[in-house]
Amino acid sequence: MKPYRRRASTLAVRRTLRRRGAQPKVVALGGGMGLSASLAALRRITGDLTAVVTVADDGGSSGRLREELGVLPPGDLRKALAALCGDDDWGQTWARVIQHRFQSKGEMGGHAVGNLLIVALWEQLGDPVQALDLVGRLLGAQGRVLPMSAVPLELQALVRGHDPERPDDVDTVRGQATVALTPGEVQSVHLVPNDPPAVPEAVAAVLDADWVVLGPGSWFSSVIPHLLVPELLDALVETKARKVLSLNLAPQPGETEGFSPQRHLEVLGRHAPKLALDVVLADEAAVPDVSAREPLVDAAKRLGAAVELAPVAGPDGSAKHDPELLAAAYDRIFRMHGRIGPWR
C-alpha cells in the first residue's frame, strides 16, 4: 500500500484523462453530496456511467413532495443529474437551474426546480426510469441516473444513547433525515419495507459493469442502504465487476462521529457479510502514519480488498473531495486493478 504522489496540477490530470480512450462501464451507488462528488469525478474518465441512487430521503423539499404526492423522493436523483452535467455553458446552466431553490415564505419556499421537473415527468409518463432518462437528455447529462428501488423507502436505525438522559438504551430512530443527524451511536440500519424491489435496470447495470463504486457519502443513510435491497445486494455479490469502496474524508457529525476509517468498513461488513470488495480508497491525509494504516489494511483484507491511498481532498480544507484528484485516483485504480487489455 503506497500513497499516490500529488499531481503537479489538475490541468495536467485533465489533459491525461482526455487523451485516453478507454471507457470502462462504471456503476456508482450512493446518495446526496457524496455520490455527487463521485459522479463529478467519474464522468471525467468514462462515458459509460450509471448512478444508482438511494430513495429513502424524507426531509426538505423531497420529503414534502413525497408526503403530498406519494412519489419517490427526487432530491438525491436531482443532485446526481446535476453532477453529470458537462462543463460547457449548456451543462453548467442546467446544473444551476435544476439546483435552484425558490426563496419565499409560501408553499413554494425551499422547493428545488429540479425536484418539481422530475416529479412532473413522473406524473406525465408514469415511469420513473423513463422520466429520469428524459431529464438526463434535456440536461445533456454524461451518464444515466436510476433509483435503487421504485418504491419510497423509510430508513430506520437502532441507536444507542439517542436520548442523552438514557445513554445505555437502544432506541429505534425513524427517517433518513433524523438518522443522519442523530445523537448517540448508530448500531445498525434497516429499510421499511425490509425487502423492497430493486429497479431492474439498476440490477442489470451492476451485473454488466466493469467497476462498481460505493461511497463516499453518509455511511448509514446513503451508502449502506443499497446493501439492504435484496436484489441489488445479490447483484453486487454475483457481478464479475470489480468493486471499489471510497471512504469519506472525515467522520460525519452525528451519524459516524468518532468513527475510524476501519470502523466504517466493519459496520459495512456487518450489514452485508457476503459482499467482497477489491479496493478501498482513502485520502492519504486521513491515515497519515503506519499506526493508522495497519488497522485499515486489516479491516480491508477481511473484505477481500487492498487499500489505496491518494490525495483526494479539496484545497479549502473542508471534508469535500476534489473532483479532478478523485478522478485521477479512480483512473489509476481502474488501470492497476482492472482487467488486462482494453475495456469492452
Side-chain angles (χ1 to χ4, degrees), residues 76 111 149-151 153 167 172-173 180 192 203 216 239 244 247-248 252 263 265 282 301:
D76 284 351
H111 276 306
S149 177
V151 299
L153 305 173
T172 298
V173 175
V192 177
V203 172
T239 183
V244 56
L247 291 175
N248 295 331
Q252 183 175 343
R263 190 171 178 190
L265 302 187
K301 283 182 179 178

Side-chain angles (χ1 to χ4, degrees), residues 21-24 210 335 338-344:
Q23 294 286 303
D210 294 308
R335 293 179 182 282
R339 298 180 178 86
I340 297 173
W343 300 104
R344 293 177 293 177

